[in-house]
Amino acid sequence: MADVTVKQLAETVGRSVDVLLAQMRDAGLSHTSPDAAVSDIEKQQLLSHLKREHGEAAGQPQKITLQRKTVSTLKTAPVTGGKAKTVNVEVRKTKTYVKRSLLEEQEESTREAEEQARLVAEEAVRKAEAERVAAEDAVRRAAEEARIAAAEEEARKAAEEARKQMGGDAKDNRKLSVPKVDVKKLETPEERARREEQAAKDRAAEDVRRRQEDAARKEAEEKASQKTLEQARRIAEELAGRAQTVAPAADTPLARGLVGVAYEDSFAREDREIKRGTTTPTRTAKKGPKKREEQTFRPVQRTLTSALSKKHGFEKPVEKQVYEVSIGESIVVSDLAQKMAKKTREVIRVLMKMGEVVTAEQVIDQATAGLVVEEMGHAPKFVSETALEDSLMDSIVRHGDAKTRAPVVTIMGHVDHGKTSLLDYIRRAKVAAGEAGGITQHIGAYHVETPRGMITFLDTPGHAAFTAMRARGAKATDIVVLVVAADDGVMPQTAEAIDHARASGVPLIVAMNKVDKESVDFDRVLSELSAKQVICEEWGGDTQVVKVSAKTGFGIDELLEAILIQAELLELTAVSEGPAQGVVIESRIDKGRGAVATLLVQKGTLKQGDLVLAGTLYGRARALIDENGKQVKSVGPSMPVEILGLPDAPGAGDEFLVVADDRKAREVADFRIARDRQVRMDLAESMKLENLFANMGKAEVASVNIILKTDVRGSLEALTAALNDLSTDEVRVKIVSSGVGAIAESDVALAESTGSVVLGFNVRADNAARAKCQNDGIDLRYYSIIYELIDDVRDAMSGLLTPERRENIVGMAQVREVFHSSKFGSAAGCMVLEGSLFKNKPIRVLREDVVVFQGELESLRRFKEDVMEVRHGMECGLAVKGYKDIKAGDKVEVYEVQIIKRSL
Ligand code: GDP
Ligand code: MG
C-alpha cells in the first residue's frame, strides 16, 4: 500500500487532522504536518498504540478462541523391506466464539464498506462505459474516413482499368462479365465503369472499416478494464486504510489483535472464503509448529488484519467446484473418492484423521461418508438405496380401474405327499410322470381354467434343498395350499411350508391328500397340524382342510371351491392396463433360444417387444410363450409366461418391470450392479475375517473343488446352498464356478487349472468340452436328481478324510515258562487264552496289563514245527524279535490294524 498523508488518513478514518496528529504523537510518531507521509509501519505503530490504550480499558474480551488438541499415534504397515513407522497424529480444533454485539458491528461495518465499494465500483464502471462509447465513436469516425479514402483510391484504379480495356480490344468486352441484361439496356462504358468503381469502393471500405473497428474495440475494452481494475485497486486500498484506522477508533477492543500475524492471516482468508461459501468452513487439523494449548484470546478482526498485511485487500476468489455427492446406505471408499473427483489416497487420509483406518476397497457407512464429503468441502446428499428404483416406479402410470384378478396359489408340502400329482389331476396333465426320480426340482407355474374362474398355480419342490424356492413361492402367492399326505402326517417340509406361509402372511388351505389309501388317520394329521397352530374349522380354527385324492380325484372340486372362496375373501384386484410388473419365477439358459425367464405378471400387461428390466438385466421380450409352449402376444395380471430376450438368466425371485426407455433401464441396472458389488464386498470382508478366525491354528483344510452347471437358476441356488452346507471342519466344498447352461470348454479348462470336478445338473457338456474332459482326464458327471449329486459330493469329501485306524485284538496268550536256548535266545512256552496267535501280525508284550514291548514275533512253533497260526486253548512256543526279557506270567497280545474309510 502506498504511503498516505496524515490528511488523507484522517479523511479515510473520519477524524479531524488534529485529533489524528495528537494520537500519532502519543504513539511516538514524529508527524506534525497534515501533509507528512504515513508509512505502513507507522500505521502499525499507531494501531498498536491505540490497541494498548483502549484495549486494556475495555476489560471484557469480545471474542474467545478455543483450541483443543488431541494427539494419537498411528502405526503404518511396514513397506516392503522397510520398518513399520509410527506417526504421531495431532488433531487440532479451533473454535472461535464472538460476542453477538461484536458480530453485528462487524457486519455493519463490513456492509458499509461493501456498499461503498459497490458504489465506487459502479461509478468506475459507468465511467469506463462512457469512455468505451467515446472510443468506439472515434473508431467509427476514423474507419469512415479510411474507408472513403481507400475506396476512392480503388475506384480510381478500377476506372482507369476499365477505360483502358474499353479503348483496347473490343472482343475483350466479355472479360468485364457484364450481365446480359445490362448489355441489352445499352449501358454506356462510362456508366459501367462508374458502377464497377462504386462496387470496388464499397468492398474495400467495408474491409478496412471492419479491421479498424475490431482493433479499436479491443483497445477500448482493454483500456476500460484496466481502468476498472485500477479503480478497484484504489478503492481497496482506501477501504483497507480506512478500516485500519476506523476500527480502533470506533471500537477499541477491536484493535487488540490488529497486528497481522501470518498464521492468523491464513485464518482470515478462510473466514472470508466462508462468507463467500467457496471453501470448506472447517479446518480441524493443522500441521505445523505447535501452538499454545491454553485458551487464547484472539479478538482479531481478521478481514482487517488481512487487509493490512497484504498489499491490497481484494483477492480474486478462487472458485472451487462444489459437488453434490449422493451417498447410499454405504459406499466403497474408492467410489466415494471418484464422486468427489479426488484421489482415493486423499479420502483415506481424511478418514484416518477421523480415526478410521480403511482401505480403498472398503465399504464405509452413510454417516461416515457424509462427514468425509463435508470435510472435503462438498455437499453430501443422502439418498435412499431405492431412490432410483422408486423414481422408476413412480414414473409408471396405470390408467384404468383395478379389476378382479385370478388368485396365485402355491402348492407346498413335504416331498412325495402328492403335490405334483394333485396339480396334474387339476390340470389333466402328466408332469409328475415325466419327472426325474419322481421329484419336482423346479418351480412350475401353470394356470387353470375352472368353471368358476381362473387359478394360477405355482408348484414348488418339497425336497429339503429347495427352501429358497419355497420361500419365493410363498412370496409371490396369494394363497398357499398345503398338501399333507393323510398316511404320513406333518413332516419337516410340511412344517417349513407352514412357516413360509405365515412369514409371507398369506392364508393357508390344507389339502389332506391320499385319502383313498387305507392307512389314513385323519385325527392324527389334524392334531399334528394343530401342534403347528394350524387348526381346522371343525376344531374351531379358521383353516380350511379339504380331504382329497390326487389318484381318484376325490375332493378336488371342493379344493378348487375352497381356493376360489378364499380368493373372493381376499378381494384380489389389479390394473391390467399399463406396463407390466411382477416377479421372476424361474430362469434358465436354453441352447438355441438363449435366456428363458418364467415371469409372473402381477400388474399391467406384458406385451411382446416390451423392454423388460429384471434385477440387473434388461432386454426386449422377443417372444412370450405360455405354459403349453404356445406363443402369445400379451399377458395380463396373475398370468405366468416365459419370455425370451434377456441377455442372461435373471435371478429367480427378482422383480421385473417394463420400462419405457433403454436409458432408464440401464441407469437402474447399473445402479443395482453397483449395489450388488457393494453387498458382495461387504460379505467378502466379513468372510475374510471369519475365515481368518476359523482357520487360526488349524492345519490346512482339504477341499473338494466343484464346477457346477445347472439347467435353471433355482436349482443352482438350491444346489449351491446344499453343497455349501456339506462343508465340515476337515473338508470343505468349494464351488469354484457355477452357472446356468451347458458345460463349455472354458468350464473344463477352469476345472483343470483348479483341480475341480465338473458336475452337470440336467445339463450336458458340449462336444468340445467333452473331448477336453477325456483328453485331460477331468472328472465329469451328470445328474438329474438333486440328492444323488449331493450324496456323490459327500462321498468325494469322505475320500478326502484321513482314514481311521482301528485296532482289533485278535488273540492273547499267557507265558507259562521261559526257556533260554542258544539258537533262539529266549523262547516262551505259552497258552493261547483268547482268539488265535498269528505269526505275521504285530504283537505287544504286557506285564501286569502294562505294555512293556511292542513289535513282532520272531518265531511261532507248535511241537517244534513252525506254524502261522495257533488257536485258542492250545500251547505253543514263541520268540519275540528283539526282546529277550520276556518272563513267565507276561501276556502276549496279537492285534491287527484296520484302516477304516470315514464318511461324513
Ligand atoms: P410330490 O413330491 O409332493 O410332488 O409328490 P408326487 O406328486 O410326486 O407324488 C408322490 C407319490 O405319491 C407318487 O407315487 C404318486 O403316485 C403318489 N400319490 C400322490 N397322490 C396320491 C393319492 O392321492 N393317492 C395315492 N394312493 N397316491 C398318491
Ligand atoms: Mg412334486
Side-chain angles (χ1 to χ4, degrees):
M1 182 161 53
D3 289 355
V4 289
T5 60
V6 175
K7 195 170 164 203
Q8 279 169 332
L9 189 59
E11 235 168 76
T12 14
V13 298
R15 299 254 131 172
S16 75
V17 178
D18 288 346
V19 171
L20 188 62
L21 275 174
Q23 280 179 340
M24 288 173 83
R25 211 174 30 250
D26 288 346
L29 296 170
S30 57
H31 299 71
T32 45
S33 112
D35 295 324
V38 186
S39 72
D40 275 359
I41 299 168
E42 285 160 339
K43 272 189 213 162
Q44 301 276 16
Q45 201 177 332
L46 172 62
L47 284 177
S48 19
H49 162 71
L50 289 172
K51 186 193 80 177
R52 267 195 308 281
E53 200 174 57
H54 300 282
E56 252 101 82
Q60 292 251 321
Q62 301 282 315
K63 203 172 188 181
I64 298 172
T65 300
L66 300 177
Q67 283 198 311
R68 193 163 296 154
K69 184 180 76 164
T70 51
V71 183
S72 55
T73 32
L74 180 109
K75 274 219 168 74
T76 58
V79 195
T80 30
K83 277 204 296 184
K85 256 193 208 161
T86 308
V87 181
N88 283 325
V89 180
E90 199 175 291
V91 180
R92 298 213 187 102
K93 288 183 184 158
T94 308
K95 221 171 213 173
T96 306
Y97 298 90
V98 183
K99 243 190 174 181
R100 200 169 292 279
S101 61
L102 182 63
L103 267 181
E104 277 159 9
E105 275 159 20
Q106 280 179 12
E107 255 168 39
E108 182 71 17
S109 75
T110 326
R111 240 198 325 275
E112 269 171 21
E114 271 170 8
E115 180 63 22
Q116 207 138 8
R118 196 179 57 75
L119 284 177
V120 178
E122 265 174 15
E123 179 62 35
V125 169
R126 241 196 318 279
K127 255 192 213 154
E129 178 62 22
E131 257 161 65
R132 196 182 59 77
V133 171
E136 264 181 14
D137 251 16
V139 168
R140 234 193 326 278
R141 263 200 306 281
E144 183 68 13
E145 274 162 26
R147 184 177 67 83
I148 292 165
E152 271 171 359
E153 174 68 15
E154 194 128 329
R156 213 178 30 251
K157 268 196 209 138
E160 223 157 306
E161 187 119 328
R163 253 196 301 281
K164 249 189 247 156
Q165 277 175 356
M166 250 0 97
D169 199 349
K171 276 177 203 160
D172 263 351
N173 274 354
R174 274 174 298 150
K175 267 191 185 165
L176 289 168
S177 68
V178 181
K180 267 187 182 162
V181 197
D182 290 351
V183 179
K184 272 186 196 148
K185 272 210 236 147
L186 293 174
E187 193 178 32
T188 64
E190 280 85 359
E191 269 170 0
R192 206 177 304 152
R194 214 175 301 128
R195 196 167 42 75
E196 292 277 338
E197 195 182 316
Q198 188 57 40
K201 235 192 224 170
D202 283 348
R203 261 198 312 279
E206 174 70 13
D207 217 357
V208 171
R209 189 183 60 81
R210 204 176 299 138
R211 240 177 289 140
Q212 282 186 338
E213 224 175 57
D214 273 355
R217 191 178 304 127
K218 229 179 253 162
E219 204 183 335
E221 265 166 19
E222 222 157 70
K223 242 192 224 163
S225 74
Q226 222 152 40
K227 227 177 169 123
T228 321
L229 211 75
E230 190 73 31
Q231 213 128 12
R233 201 171 294 151
R234 244 199 331 273
I235 297 157
E237 275 168 16
E238 256 169 42
L239 281 174
R242 191 179 316 159
Q244 176 203 15
T245 33
V246 165
D251 190 285
T252 39
L254 253 186
R256 274 171 163 248
L258 261 179
V259 184
V261 180
Y263 177 79
E264 289 170 356
D265 187 42
S266 76
F267 266 109
R269 242 171 298 138
E270 271 171 32
D271 281 359
R272 254 181 310 136
E273 279 160 1
I274 294 158
K275 263 183 216 136
R276 296 197 191 113
T278 50
T279 57
T280 150
T282 46
R283 163 90 54 108
T284 49
K286 204 160 176 76
K287 279 203 175 125
K290 281 197 174 181
K291 293 227 28 168
R292 280 164 295 168
E293 266 188 74
E294 76 275 9
Q295 287 190 354
T296 327
F297 293 82
R298 199 191 305 281
V300 184
Q301 218 297 0
R302 281 178 172 142
T303 317
L304 301 186
T305 321
S306 154
L308 273 177
S309 59
K310 284 269 156 190
K311 258 283 167 245
H312 41 76
F314 275 83
E315 245 181 42
K316 203 176 168 200
V318 184
E319 278 300 335
K320 191 179 151 195
Q321 193 75 35
V322 176
Y323 296 111
E324 193 184 73
V325 184
S326 53
I327 308 165
E329 266 143 46
S330 63
I331 189 166
V332 179
V333 173
S334 58
D335 289 353
L336 181 64
Q338 200 185 4
K339 281 188 175 183
M340 292 187 285
K342 282 268 172 3
K343 291 209 175 64
T344 309
R345 227 180 24 236
E346 290 178 52
V347 174
I348 292 178
R349 202 175 308 137
V350 172
L351 277 159
M352 218 179 254
K353 279 183 194 161
M354 290 163 52
E356 298 259 349
V357 181
V358 295
T359 62
E361 293 304 286
Q362 209 161 315
V363 177
I364 55 174
D365 61 50
Q366 197 178 43
T368 313
L371 289 177
V372 173
V373 171
E374 269 174 6
E375 183 70 27
M376 301 192 87
H378 298 290
K381 187 183 167 205
F382 299 118
V383 293
S384 120
E385 286 291 283
T386 55
L388 207 55
E389 285 149 322
D390 292 348
S391 82
L392 190 63
M393 287 289 187
D394 292 346
S395 71
I396 294 175
V397 247
R398 284 199 182 77
H399 302 289
D401 297 328
K403 294 195 198 89
T404 310
R405 64 172 174 85
V408 178
V409 178
T410 298
I411 311 271
M412 290 209 243
H414 197 72
V415 67
D416 271 355
H417 279 200
K419 296 178 294 296
T420 311
S421 305
L422 193 64
L423 260 181
D424 276 356
Y425 191 92
I426 295 170
R427 297 175 55 226
R428 318 238 178 277
K430 290 273 171 291
V431 173
E435 280 178 342
I439 65 164
T440 308
Q441 322 209 25
H442 305 151
I443 222 170
Y446 316 97
H447 87 282
V448 177
E449 295 287 350
T450 73
R452 288 200 38 194
M454 195 187 92
I455 304 173
T456 293
F457 284 102
L458 300 181
D459 185 15
T460 62
H463 191 273
F466 294 103
T467 304
M469 265 191 212
R470 282 190 292 272
R472 233 168 18 238
K475 248 187 222 141
T477 200
D478 302 311
I479 298 166
V480 166
V481 168
L482 179 67
V483 176
V484 192
D487 61 340
D488 204 14
V490 173
M491 297 306 266
Q493 270 72 61
T494 318
E496 196 202 280
I498 294 170
D499 294 341
H500 282 310
R502 203 162 279 149
S504 310
V506 289
L508 191 76
I509 296 172
V510 176
M512 208 192 285
N513 193 26
K514 305 196 186 181
V515 293
D516 57 292
K517 282 194 166 182
E518 277 168 11
S519 54
V520 296
D521 182 351
F522 298 129
D523 282 349
R524 185 177 68 100
V525 178
L526 290 178
S527 76
E528 278 172 2
L529 281 171
S530 68
K532 292 292 295 178
Q533 277 85 50
V534 177
I535 299 157
C536 66
E537 283 166 341
E538 293 165 40
W539 291 18
D542 56 0
T543 308
Q544 299 187 64
V545 177
V546 187
K547 289 172 189 158
V548 295
S549 165
K551 198 173 174 189
T552 64
F554 173 85
I556 302 272
D557 284 341
E558 281 88 336
L559 179 64
L560 295 179
E561 188 73 27
I563 291 169
L564 289 165
I565 289 171
Q566 185 62 261
E568 258 168 47
L569 284 176
L570 291 172
E571 290 178 357
L572 303 166
T573 56
V575 180
S576 57
E577 281 91 46
Q581 190 180 335
V583 61
V584 178
I585 302 278
E586 189 56 277
S587 67
R588 65 196 148 94
I589 302 284
D590 189 288
K591 210 160 180 196
R593 300 185 296 172
V596 183
T598 309
L599 309 181
L600 175 70
V601 178
Q602 291 172 324
K603 278 181 211 163
T605 298
L606 180 63
K607 294 190 281 295
Q608 190 181 350
D610 275 350
L611 184 63
V612 175
L613 169 72
T616 57
L617 300 169
Y618 63 96
R620 296 224 173 257
R622 268 192 284 119
L624 307 184
I625 301 158
D626 72 7
E627 65 205 66
N628 300 317
K630 269 199 301 220
Q631 284 229 11
V632 288
K633 287 276 165 243
S634 67
V635 283
S638 293
M639 283 288 283
V641 68
E642 274 188 351
I643 67 157
L644 309 182
L646 287 176
D648 199 357
D654 280 357
E655 281 180 9
F656 84 86
L657 191 65
V658 168
V659 191
D661 63 307
D662 274 54
R663 195 187 52 78
K664 199 87 199 165
R666 188 174 54 243
E667 203 174 274
V668 176
D670 285 351
F671 169 76
R672 286 177 177 164
I673 289 167
R675 187 177 55 191
D676 288 356
R677 173 170 162 254
Q678 203 121 341
V679 170
R680 262 204 311 282
M681 240 140 59
D682 277 347
L683 208 70
E685 200 75 32
S686 62
M687 294 263 279
K688 252 191 252 162
L689 263 188
E690 257 173 43
N691 286 347
L692 195 69
F693 287 126
N695 294 336
M696 244 184 231
K698 227 192 245 173
E700 210 173 299
V701 184
S703 71
V704 176
N705 291 351
I706 290 173
I707 289 174
L708 176 67
K709 297 298 285 276
T710 67
D711 53 344
V712 298
R713 261 285 144 83
S715 352
L716 186 65
E717 275 173 26
L719 279 168
T720 309
L723 290 177
N724 282 333
D725 278 354
L726 287 181
S727 289
T728 65
D729 287 351
E730 284 173 83
V731 189
R732 210 154 50 93
V733 176
K734 194 168 156 198
I735 298 176
V736 175
S737 147
S738 62
V740 177
I743 297 163
E745 205 176 347
S746 58
D747 295 320
V748 181
L750 186 61
E752 192 188 5
S753 61
T754 55
S756 309
V757 292
V758 183
L759 307 182
F761 184 74
N762 285 335
V763 290
R764 300 286 175 263
D766 60 24
N767 287 338
R770 208 166 27 235
K772 195 170 166 54
C773 272
Q774 263 157 16
N775 286 344
D776 302 348
I778 302 292
D779 204 353
L780 168 69
R781 292 172 196 220
Y782 298 143
Y783 298 90
S784 52
I785 298 172
I786 189 162
Y787 54 73
E788 282 181 1
L789 188 152
I790 293 168
D791 288 351
D792 268 12
V793 173
R794 190 182 285 127
D795 289 348
M797 290 169 69
S798 305
L800 288 180
L801 287 176
T802 41
E804 205 175 18
R805 269 170 58 100
R806 200 175 291 164
E807 281 181 13
N808 290 327
I809 294 166
V810 291
M812 201 262 288
Q814 191 160 38
V815 179
R816 295 277 155 90
E817 230 174 310
V818 178
F819 310 97
H820 294 278
S821 90
S822 56
K823 202 173 168 197
F824 301 114
S826 313
C830 305
M831 175 67 164
V832 181
L833 299 179
E834 281 169 31
S836 304
L837 296 196
F838 295 89
K839 164 89 198 300
N840 294 334
K841 293 196 195 282
I843 60 122
R844 289 192 187 97
V845 179
L846 310 174
R847 189 163 297 154
E848 279 155 18
D849 288 331
V850 176
V851 177
V852 292
F853 185 79
Q854 187 167 332
E856 51 189 277
L857 292 180
E858 173 99 58
S859 67
L860 182 63
R861 293 183 152 208
R862 213 175 126 64
F863 306 121
K864 307 216 158 145
E865 247 171 68
D866 281 317
V867 290
M868 295 310 285
E869 181 188 345
V870 180
R871 264 184 270 152
H872 175 225
M874 289 178 180
E875 288 189 328
C876 63
L878 58 84
V880 179
K881 203 188 245 173
Y883 189 63
K884 306 272 181 283
D885 270 354
I886 199 154
K887 288 196 171 74
D890 286 354
K891 281 179 189 158
V892 176
E893 168 187 286
V894 179
Y895 64 93
E896 62 181 11
V897 178
Q898 214 180 352
I899 306 284
I900 297 167
K901 209 173 131 186
R902 284 197 296 154
S903 62
L904 294 162

